[in-house]
Amino acid sequence: MKHLLILGAGFSGKAIGETFLAAGFTVSGTTRSAEKAKALRGLGMTPLLFDGTITSDLAADMARATHVVQSIAPGRDGDPLFRAGVPPLSQLMPKLEWAGYLSTVGVYGDHKGGWVNEDTALNPVSARSVERVEAEERWLAHGAASGLPVAVLRLAGIYGPGRNALRNMEEGTARRLIKKDQVFNRIRVEDIGRSALFLAERHLGGVWNITDDEPGPPQDVVAQAARLMGLPTPPDIPFETAELSPMARSFYGENKRVSNAKLKAAGFEFRFPNYRQSLAELLSSGRWRG
């Protein structure tokens, strides 16, 4: 039996878990709260509490894992599986056949709206992206040294059921921030799950951009959600005068178009190749509220 362990079974992790479950895997996922553990159990996954210390239950699950997806942010101390005092990965997970590390397209930094792909030199701007680059390197180095296929999945802006512009419109939180020539990539969460399974089933390692076909201005997504719901389009807000958290403002400091050509060339087909098709499906299916 193939067994997937998800370290950090949050929004993306749960979607990955559901995809692997449907493919016949058993799945477990770590979380830090009893409430979230209950939600994982309701999806058919075995919940495991993990706050940075590997418990006996987690160690036992690691020992039987054939596949792992690491979704926990590294932080200042680095990736939790490569920190000082943690046993070697090959010792913790001796049956491992494939590993996936969830990273971010933020590692590319700012390219002033230009296109980037997996071969583009990394130039991370934010501290969190610098930490991601270091974690990517640790995972890829382990794969090279051990012969384990390690896939780094660089994710674009994630949305899906319960987390999308339609819900923001309903809740009155949607804003059309306007910054000249700004574009973002995005990815529907179910396609993250499908791409992870695609790579795992083919034992593919290396770096992969996980993003849909159409980088575009964020205000266009809000306008499309308003049209679909028959609601007035929110007014334009100049980026320069907008009230934003430091983290939100930092996202606008990076402007690039991220290519998914490598993943498509490998044979992957996106179920949601652009935000217009995806938002329409969320609304028609009734799943947009989550």
Side-chain angles (χ1 to χ4, degrees), residues 110-171:
D110 181 33
H111 289 264
K112 304 186 185 306
W115 283 95
V116 301
N117 60 32
E118 290 85 351
D119 295 324
T120 300
L122 304 185
N123 185 30
V125 176
S126 67
R128 63 183 179 276
S129 292
V130 171
E131 292 165 355
R132 286 288 187 187
V133 171
E134 294 173 350
E136 283 188 10
E137 290 173 349
R138 294 300 298 270
W139 277 95
L140 291 170
H142 173 76
S146 64
L148 176 73
V150 172
V152 170
L153 286 70
R154 291 178 178 158
L155 308 181
I158 305 164
Y159 73 105
R163 186 186 294 185
N164 55 73
L166 299 168
R167 183 162 178 174
N168 294 343
M169 284 296 304
E170 182 186 52
E171 295 175 350

Side-chain angles (χ1 to χ4, degrees), residues 19 190-199 268-271:
T19 305
E190 293 96 327
D191 274 338
I192 296 175
R194 294 177 62 250
S195 62
L197 180 64
F198 175 88
L199 296 171
F268 182 77
E269 296 182 4
F270 287 85
R271 184 178 172 196

Side-chain angles (χ1 to χ4, degrees), residues 38-68:
K38 183 178 179 181
L40 292 178
R41 191 175 288 109
L43 293 172
M45 306 178 206
T46 301
L48 298 161
L49 295 178
F50 179 49
D51 61 1
T53 301
I54 299 175
T55 63
S56 58
D57 286 346
L58 179 54
D61 201 273
M62 287 178 163
R64 72 187 185 100
T66 57
H67 296 68
V68 66

Side-chain angles (χ1 to χ4, degrees), residues 252-271:
Y252 280 79
E254 300 177 14
N255 189 16
K256 55 187 167 287
R257 290 173 166 84
V258 183
S259 170
N260 62 13
K262 178 181 176 181
L263 185 61
K264 291 201 292 186
F268 182 77
E269 296 182 4
F270 287 85
R271 184 178 172 196

Side-chain angles (χ1 to χ4, degrees), residues 176-255:
R176 279 173 46 88
L177 296 178
I178 309 298
K179 184 179 180 185
K180 181 175 169 53
D181 298 326
Q182 179 74 46
V183 295
F184 289 116
N185 283 78
R186 50 196 60 83
I187 184 68
R188 178 78 175 256
V189 72
E190 293 96 327
D191 274 338
I192 296 175
R194 294 177 62 250
S195 62
L197 180 64
F198 175 88
L199 296 171
E201 288 184 330
R202 290 158 180 78
H203 292 87
L204 292 173
V207 178
W208 304 85
N209 290 331
I210 311 299
T211 176
D212 69 14
D213 291 347
E214 193 172 326
Q219 65 268 23
D220 289 3
V221 181
V222 177
Q224 179 68 8
R227 282 193 290 270
L228 287 170
M229 299 184 78
L231 296 172
T233 302
D236 293 356
I237 301 173
F239 171 77
E240 292 74 16
T241 59
E243 294 184 7
L244 294 171
S245 68
M247 178 174 286
R249 189 166 290 275
S250 73
F251 285 122
Y252 280 79
E254 300 177 14
N255 189 16

